[in-house]
Amino acid sequence: MVNETASVEQWGIFEVTLHGPGEGNPFQDVELTAQFRYKHRAIEVDGFYDGDGTYRIRFMPDTQGEWMYRTQSNCAELRDVEGSFSCHAPDAGNHGPVRVAHTYHFAYADGTPYKQLGTTCYAWTHQGDELEEQTLATLSSAPFNKLRMCVFPKHYAFNENEPEFYPFPCLSRGSSKWQGKWDADVFEGWSFDFSRFDPAFFQHFEQRVADLMERGIEADIILFHPYDRWGFSTMSPELDDRYLRYIVARLSAYRNVWWSMANEYDLMRSKTMDDWDRFFRIVQERDPYQHLRSIHNCHGFYDHAKPWVTHQSIQHSDLAHTLTWREEYKKPVVVDECCYEGNIPYGWGNISGLEMVHRFWEGTAHGGYVGHGDTFLHPEDILWWAKGGVLHGECAPRLAFFRKVTGQSPAAGLDPIPDVLFMFSCVGQPHEYYLTYFGTHQPAQMTFRLPEGERYQGEVINIWDMTVTPLDEPVVRNAVVQLPGKPYHALVLRRAD
Amino acid sequence: MVNETASVEQWGIFEVTLHGPGEGNPFQDVELTAQFRYKHRAIEVDGFYDGDGTYRIRFMPDTQGEWMYRTQSNCAELRDVEGSFSCHAPDAGNHGPVRVAHTYHFAYADGTPYKQLGTTCYAWTHQGDELEEQTLATLSSAPFNKLRMCVFPKHYAFNENEPEFYPFPCLSRGSSKWQGKWDADVFEGWSFDFSRFDPAFFQHFEQRVADLMERGIEADIILFHPYDRWGFSTMSPELDDRYLRYIVARLSAYRNVWWSMANEYDLMRSKTMDDWDRFFRIVQERDPYQHLRSIHNCHGFYDHAKPWVTHQSIQHSDLAHTLTWREEYKKPVVVDECCYEGNIPYGWGNISGLEMVHRFWEGTAHGGYVGHGDTFLHPEDILWWAKGGVLHGECAPRLAFFRKVTGQSPAAGLDPIPDVLFMFSCVGQPHEYYLTYFGTHQPAQMTFRLPEGERYQGEVINIWDMTVTPLDEPVVRNAVVQLPGKPYHALVLRRAD
């Protein structure tokens, strides 16, 4: 991915490596940016210090052709460095970064629809290579195309192990034991040199982002979270802002990056709403590529209507509300957390596999997108939701089936189509495609208020047994359609003429 | 039940039969009441005209001993009739009428707890003897102890047949076909003499109420409803009020009567909120026994805080809201309609049997009571929910099991006990009994914040397989309890020492 040659694929990474001063505190003392030019366009990009006198500037070109660049710096050695490179067509599987499309949906930059099917491994990059490689192997054959992951290590139940790397140089170590507390309850003993970053931490982290990119998985990078024993959740505003600028400079050239300001932002007692607004603004201003930006709640929502929010990242267990959230904020809805398949004592982590799959269909049938997690008790506390490893639940093949079925839905997305059914949501694109999911309901018959004079081919979907059963007869307006009369079925109607 | 002898059981019916004028319109012209006296107490009771010159006064004595009565009337033949009777101990199975107990629950007048487990056969008394007898046979072996039933016949999908009896003399007949409309869309052709009641209708109806009483089933009598093709839902206020006084005079001496002002009152476009208030007041003033009074919504709730409402009769599919409704109105919550087991096209009538049973446990685990219905397509449109007959679903045995398990819960009722669990509701009585239901959640472990130093015997309940598995070890505060790790289980903790 990282590429210093004179040619780079579109939406790949062109990296300029420079050598400069290693003394003092280059993280704070040295300013470095570059201007990248393509014909009349000029794009300002932040560089960053990577330790040992090495400075880097990363750039993701969005246009094929010849690009030039020139650096600026308050350090003479790094100033006015010029160069050029050629941007060629993207390799297979590279569709560019994901953007909002059609108001409520997503597409890659090349126009390919992106239908979000996320999972969650909050602290997977803090588990050491053996487990991290296993996580990547699992992801390679799993149906997920997005992963929620925290930058900072995690302190929580089932999360007592120390990470291999810390984002700042560690000065003294404290206790690791989970005592049921987080955020502003930093354990005694921990201290860090917050004036510097530890490049090894970020080099490792960005390698994992690249590993996901290779696998076609978006990295939904959680910039802050409350599950903390080290003091990373209670830094000063100045430190928070410097950290944001640094990680944005390092990571924004990775096309699979999404910025999640926080997980459960409303549990971080030391941050104010002004802080969250400012964090969004910093990321918005410093990221030249305008990667997706969101913020994830525990209880109350952040105001997703604010202009720097690109989509809604929601924790809620009733997916039918998706309709309301779409209407309220006019942005895509991603219910990243609607409870996880598992068996742990926490109510958010012990729904059945059937219920997890059910919620994917429910959210989809209300015009949104859903996220997965897997939280089964493990003798060594290796729970997928936090540490990765392997999946223990039953829903992954059903979500692969879900991805296959919904992958055949319209590129314009699944939007609510009112008045097709009484008491059931129907989504799709009028005159083209209608999807209804019945959940725990089990109608044996149903009529659909389809447009007059149009014929549709119907398919009955069993979401758990993963069967697709075509209806014998074409479906027309108000005709009685025979259905299985069993729960957990969807119906797809596809225009036949 | 109807008893003219000189002795009647407590909460039985003592009936005075008188003969008077049969000419003119006695329904409107003749006033008849009686005063019943026991020692210092005096109770005023309305009589009613039963056709053919026959007048009746029914009385349900609530106290054992000697009672006296004396009639009043504007008709000399009916005036100043005196008599007495003896009230003896109730027969086995007669516990008196049901009252509100402990704010959120119910008990019979003799103090026996009444744990509501209702079902719904809206129009069962309008189906002719053969089907009605079959309904009674079904009820005799079913777990239900309450039945929601309409006075007026029903016009709706699956309800096109004409009743054998009409409440008013029929002057001309119209069409019967269901055209998807109700309330103020009276079909052409129908006309009735609203100035008179048809005693045969009411004699039949009250016989069915008595049939339920014999079986220990409360009759939740729905006084108005919108599903109408005859004009019974759009009578004038004067006629509405006269009808209410008549039916209260006839039926209130039946100890198993509950008064439901309406089903889906908010769908009756011709009635105002003032009408509903007035109906409540009339029933409240004319019923000497103060039977339970409620009103059932479609969308928006009537203000259950009004003093004449004894309990909340709710249509809603999310049983977890029961906690909120309890808090808001401080009255028992009966979710009479949370969708029905079935397979018809309407979303309210096609949940699976498992989902129906699940909702009973869910409502109970949030401090409320739930109602059942059975709505399966039938070649002759005989759906239990409207017409009775037999049950087609799978949940009746599971509800019998539910009744058995919850029947062993505290007499004071199942009230929310806060802070026992994180994210799960727990109900019971502190220091005595705790019930938690996990629904689609499947914890393999759980700890309970029980009172310090107390030991509890645990039972794991499989709500569908109907098994009760005692835990090996007593449960104490914050001890890890091993659970099945499968959905649809409840846990009961009963004080062991």
Side-chain angles (χ1 to χ4, degrees):
Chain A
M1 251 51 48
V2 176
N3 197 320
E4 290 187 340
T5 70
S7 182
V8 64
E9 64 176 325
Q10 189 177 1
W11 305 306
I13 299 173
F14 177 79
E15 183 170 299
V16 180
T17 304
L18 302 172
H19 296 281
E23 310 77 47
N25 186 345
F27 294 106
Q28 294 197 42
D29 301 338
V30 178
E31 294 166 14
L32 174 65
T33 63
Q35 189 179 66
F36 285 80
R37 290 186 163 275
Y38 172 81
K39 295 183 177 166
H40 61 288
R41 289 174 62 205
I43 300 168
E44 296 290 329
V45 175
D46 288 340
F48 62 91
Y49 182 59
D50 203 20
D52 296 326
T54 301
Y55 294 78
R56 299 184 197 280
I57 303 159
R58 288 180 182 150
F59 181 66
M60 179 186 78
D62 61 1
T63 306
Q64 295 172 36
E66 297 306 308
W67 288 80
M68 295 170 56
Y69 66 87
R70 181 190 188 100
T71 65
Q72 290 119 7
S73 179
N74 60 351
C75 168
E77 293 169 79
L78 304 172
R79 193 181 303 147
D80 295 330
V81 179
E82 291 183 320
S84 67
F85 67 93
S86 168
C87 175
H88 58 257
D91 297 341
N94 170 2
H95 300 287
V98 172
R99 310 295 192 202
V100 170
H102 308 290
T103 308
Y104 299 105
H105 304 285
F106 303 101
Y108 293 98
D110 74 352
T112 306
Y114 170 82
K115 296 179 189 292
Q116 194 274 172
L117 202 175
T119 186
T120 306
C121 300
Y122 286 128
W124 80 282
T125 67
H126 304 300
Q127 305 307 320
D129 281 346
E130 189 180 350
L131 187 54
E132 293 172 22
E133 296 295 332
Q134 187 184 46
T135 304
L136 289 168
T138 300
L139 287 169
S140 294
S141 62
F144 309 112
N145 61 14
K146 197 195 76 181
L147 183 66
R148 278 179 71 71
M149 53 193 279
C150 299
V151 178
F152 294 121
K154 184 175 180 188
H155 167 69
Y156 201 82
F158 314 113
N159 287 264
E160 298 184 22
N161 57 325
E162 289 298 327
E164 185 177 354
F165 304 103
Y166 298 98
F168 309 97
C170 183
L171 303 178
S172 74
R173 300 174 69 89
S175 164
S176 302
K177 184 139 181 66
W178 166 247
Q179 300 170 338
K181 293 183 181 177
W182 59 63
D183 187 19
D185 293 307
V186 180
F187 288 12
E188 280 188 19
W190 289 104
S191 69
F192 293 87
D193 176 4
F194 286 108
S195 73
R196 299 165 175 274
F197 299 104
D198 185 340
F201 175 95
F202 292 92
Q203 288 158 9
H204 175 75
F205 187 81
E206 67 204 17
Q207 178 57 48
R208 293 314 184 198
V209 172
D211 291 334
L212 297 177
M213 187 164 75
E214 273 182 21
R215 287 162 178 79
I217 297 171
E218 304 296 299
D220 199 3
I221 296 174
I222 297 167
L223 296 167
F224 293 99
H225 67 250
Y227 330 112
D228 179 35
R229 62 176 168 252
W230 305 276
F232 307 145
S233 68
T234 51
M235 300 187 298
S236 69
E238 186 194 348
L239 292 174
D240 284 342
D241 297 359
R242 190 190 304 151
Y243 152 72
L244 285 176
R245 287 193 303 270
Y246 188 71
I247 197 164
V248 169
R250 291 199 72 117
L251 278 161
S252 58
Y254 292 79
R255 65 176 173 270
N256 62 326
V257 163
W258 298 24
W259 303 117
S260 177
M261 295 305 125
N263 208 56
E264 297 187 322
Y265 81 97
D266 47 336
L267 297 186
M268 297 188 75
R269 288 168 290 176
S270 66
K271 305 278 184 266
T272 66
M273 203 56 87
D274 284 345
D275 289 326
W276 297 114
D277 290 353
R278 193 180 73 254
F279 297 162
F280 265 110
R281 298 292 297 270
I282 289 169
V283 174
Q284 183 182 35
E285 284 166 13
R286 306 316 303 175
D287 171 4
Y289 318 105
Q290 297 297 299
H291 289 289
L292 294 168
R293 288 177 301 268
S294 69
I295 186 167
H296 180 86
N297 65 293
C298 179
H299 304 292
F301 287 8
Y302 179 87
D303 180 4
H304 299 303
K306 291 184 177 174
W308 38 75
V309 179
T310 57
H311 65 283
Q312 309 178 55
S313 169
I314 285 175
Q315 175 173 185
H316 203 284
S317 56
D318 187 347
L319 284 302
H321 289 310
T322 302
L323 287 181
T324 313
W325 302 322
R326 280 175 54 112
E327 279 309 299
E328 185 163 359
Y329 298 109
K330 309 287 186 197
K331 293 179 184 178
V333 173
V334 182
V335 186
D336 288 296
E337 187 174 345
C338 66
C339 299
Y340 305 133
E341 182 183 10
N343 65 4
I344 60 174
Y346 302 107
W348 48 260
N350 57 27
I351 61 170
S352 68
L354 175 59
E355 183 68 18
M356 178 96 256
V357 176
H358 163 69
R359 292 184 186 191
F360 267 81
W361 285 90
E362 188 80 347
T364 303
H366 288 84
Y369 299 91
V370 186
H372 160 270
D374 181 290
T375 44
F376 285 86
L377 293 170
H378 185 279
E380 292 152 33
D381 281 353
I382 303 175
L383 283 67
W384 171 264
W385 132 91
K387 297 185 181 173
V390 298
L391 293 162
H392 298 276
E394 300 179 285
C395 70
R398 278 84 183 189
L399 294 180
F401 173 76
F402 164 85
R403 184 172 174 173
K404 195 179 95 180
V405 172
T406 55
Q408 296 161 0
S409 66
L414 296 172
D415 292 315
I417 308 177
D419 301 328
V420 176
L421 285 165
F422 172 61
M423 289 184 70
F424 289 102
S425 174
C426 182
V427 293
Q429 293 294 323
H431 310 290
E432 179 186 355
Y433 182 99
Y434 296 80
L435 182 149
T436 301
Y437 173 58
F438 298 110
T440 56
H441 294 264
Q442 52 175 16
Q445 290 181 354
M446 191 63 69
T447 57
F448 298 83
R449 277 176 234 110
L450 296 165
E452 293 276 10
E454 295 179 356
R455 290 152 52 92
Y456 288 82
Q457 175 57 48
E459 288 175 341
V460 174
I461 315 286
N462 181 315
I463 71 156
W464 190 251
D465 293 342
M466 299 179 278
T467 56
V468 178
T469 309
L471 296 177
D472 293 335
E473 297 290 323
V475 177
V476 298
R477 180 180 175 85
N478 292 340
V480 174
V481 177
Q482 302 297 326
L483 294 173
K486 299 289 170 197
Y488 302 112
H489 285 81
L491 182 74
V492 167
L493 299 175
R494 215 182 297 272
R495 185 74 178 274
D497 56 13
Chain B
M1 250 53 47
V2 176
N3 196 322
E4 289 188 342
T5 68
S7 183
V8 63
E9 65 175 325
Q10 188 177 1
W11 304 304
I13 300 173
F14 178 79
E15 184 170 298
V16 179
T17 304
L18 301 172
H19 296 281
E23 310 79 45
N25 186 345
F27 295 104
Q28 295 195 42
D29 301 340
V30 178
E31 294 165 14
L32 174 65
T33 63
Q35 189 179 64
F36 286 80
R37 292 186 162 273
Y38 172 81
K39 295 184 178 168
H40 60 289
R41 290 173 62 205
I43 300 167
E44 295 290 330
V45 175
D46 288 340
F48 62 90
Y49 182 58
D50 203 21
D52 296 326
T54 300
Y55 294 79
R56 299 186 198 278
I57 303 161
R58 289 182 183 149
F59 181 66
M60 179 185 79
D62 61 3
T63 305
Q64 296 173 36
E66 295 307 307
W67 288 79
M68 295 171 56
Y69 65 88
R70 182 189 186 101
T71 65
Q72 289 119 7
S73 179
N74 60 353
C75 167
E77 292 170 79
L78 304 173
R79 192 182 304 147
D80 295 328
V81 179
E82 290 183 319
S84 67
F85 67 94
S86 170
C87 174
H88 58 257
D91 297 342
N94 169 3
H95 300 286
V98 173
R99 311 294 192 204
V100 171
H102 308 289
T103 308
Y104 298 105
H105 305 285
F106 301 102
Y108 292 100
D110 73 352
T112 305
Y114 171 81
K115 296 179 190 291
Q116 195 273 168
L117 204 175
T119 188
T120 306
C121 300
Y122 286 128
W124 79 282
T125 66
H126 304 299
Q127 304 307 321
D129 282 344
E130 188 180 349
L131 187 53
E132 293 172 23
E133 295 295 332
Q134 188 185 46
T135 303
L136 289 168
T138 300
L139 288 168
S140 294
S141 62
F144 309 112
N145 61 14
K146 197 195 77 182
L147 183 66
R148 278 180 71 72
M149 53 191 279
C150 299
V151 178
F152 293 121
K154 183 174 180 189
H155 167 68
Y156 202 82
F158 313 114
N159 287 264
E160 298 184 21
N161 56 325
E162 289 298 327
E164 185 177 352
F165 303 102
Y166 297 98
F168 308 97
C170 183
L171 302 177
S172 74
R173 300 174 70 88
S175 164
S176 301
K177 185 140 179 65
W178 166 247
Q179 299 170 339
K181 293 183 182 180
W182 60 61
D183 187 20
D185 294 306
V186 180
F187 287 14
E188 282 189 17
W190 289 105
S191 67
F192 293 88
D193 177 5
F194 286 109
S195 73
R196 299 165 175 273
F197 299 103
D198 185 339
F201 175 95
F202 291 93
Q203 287 157 8
H204 175 75
F205 187 81
E206 66 205 17
Q207 177 57 49
R208 293 314 183 197
V209 172
D211 290 335
L212 296 178
M213 186 164 77
E214 274 181 22
R215 287 161 179 80
I217 297 170
E218 303 296 299
D220 199 3
I221 296 173
I222 298 168
L223 295 167
F224 293 99
H225 67 251
Y227 330 113
D228 179 37
R229 62 177 169 251
W230 304 275
F232 306 145
S233 68
T234 52
M235 301 189 298
S236 69
E238 185 193 348
L239 291 174
D240 285 341
D241 298 357
R242 189 191 303 151
Y243 152 70
L244 285 177
R245 289 194 302 270
Y246 188 72
I247 196 164
V248 169
R250 290 199 73 117
L251 277 162
S252 58
Y254 292 78
R255 65 177 173 270
N256 64 326
V257 163
W258 298 24
W259 302 116
S260 178
M261 294 306 125
N263 209 57
E264 298 186 321
Y265 80 98
D266 46 337
L267 298 186
M268 297 188 73
R269 289 168 291 177
S270 66
K271 303 280 184 266
T272 67
M273 203 56 86
D274 285 345
D275 288 326
W276 297 115
D277 290 351
R278 193 180 72 253
F279 296 163
F280 265 110
R281 298 292 298 270
I282 289 170
V283 173
Q284 184 182 34
E285 285 166 12
R286 306 316 302 175
D287 171 4
Y289 319 105
Q290 296 298 297
H291 288 290
L292 294 168
R293 288 178 299 267
S294 69
I295 186 166
H296 179 87
N297 66 291
C298 180
H299 305 291
F301 287 8
Y302 180 88
D303 179 4
H304 298 303
K306 290 183 178 175
W308 38 76
V309 178
T310 57
H311 64 284
Q312 307 178 55
S313 169
I314 285 175
Q315 175 171 186
H316 203 283
S317 56
D318 187 346
L319 285 301
H321 289 310
T322 302
L323 287 181
T324 313
W325 301 322
R326 280 176 54 113
E327 278 310 298
E328 185 163 357
Y329 298 109
K330 309 285 185 197
K331 294 178 183 179
V333 173
V334 182
V335 186
D336 288 297
E337 188 173 346
C338 66
C339 298
Y340 305 133
E341 182 184 9
N343 66 2
I344 61 174
Y346 302 107
W348 49 258
N350 57 28
I351 61 171
S352 67
L354 175 58
E355 183 68 18
M356 178 97 256
V357 176
H358 164 68
R359 292 184 185 191
F360 267 81
W361 286 90
E362 187 82 346
T364 302
H366 288 83
Y369 299 91
V370 186
H372 160 273
D374 182 291
T375 44
F376 286 86
L377 293 169
H378 185 278
E380 292 154 33
D381 282 354
I382 303 176
L383 283 68
W384 171 265
W385 131 91
K387 297 184 181 173
V390 298
L391 292 162
H392 298 275
E394 300 179 283
C395 70
R398 278 85 184 188
L399 294 180
F401 173 75
F402 164 85
R403 183 171 175 174
K404 195 178 96 182
V405 172
T406 55
Q408 294 160 1
S409 66
L414 296 173
D415 291 316
I417 308 177
D419 300 327
V420 177
L421 286 165
F422 172 61
M423 290 185 69
F424 289 102
S425 173
C426 182
V427 293
Q429 292 295 323
H431 310 289
E432 179 185 356
Y433 183 100
Y434 297 81
L435 183 149
T436 301
Y437 173 59
F438 298 109
T440 58
H441 294 264
Q442 52 175 16
Q445 291 181 353
M446 191 64 69
T447 57
F448 297 83
R449 277 178 234 109
L450 296 165
E452 292 278 8
E454 294 179 356
R455 290 151 54 90
Y456 288 82
Q457 176 57 49
E459 288 175 342
V460 174
I461 314 286
N462 181 315
I463 72 157
W464 190 252
D465 294 343
M466 299 179 278
T467 56
V468 178
T469 309
L471 296 178
D472 292 336
E473 297 292 322
V475 177
V476 298
R477 180 179 176 84
N478 292 341
V480 174
V481 177
Q482 303 298 325
L483 295 173
K486 298 289 171 197
Y488 302 112
H489 285 81
L491 181 74
V492 167
L493 298 175
R494 216 183 295 272
R495 185 72 177 274
D497 54 14

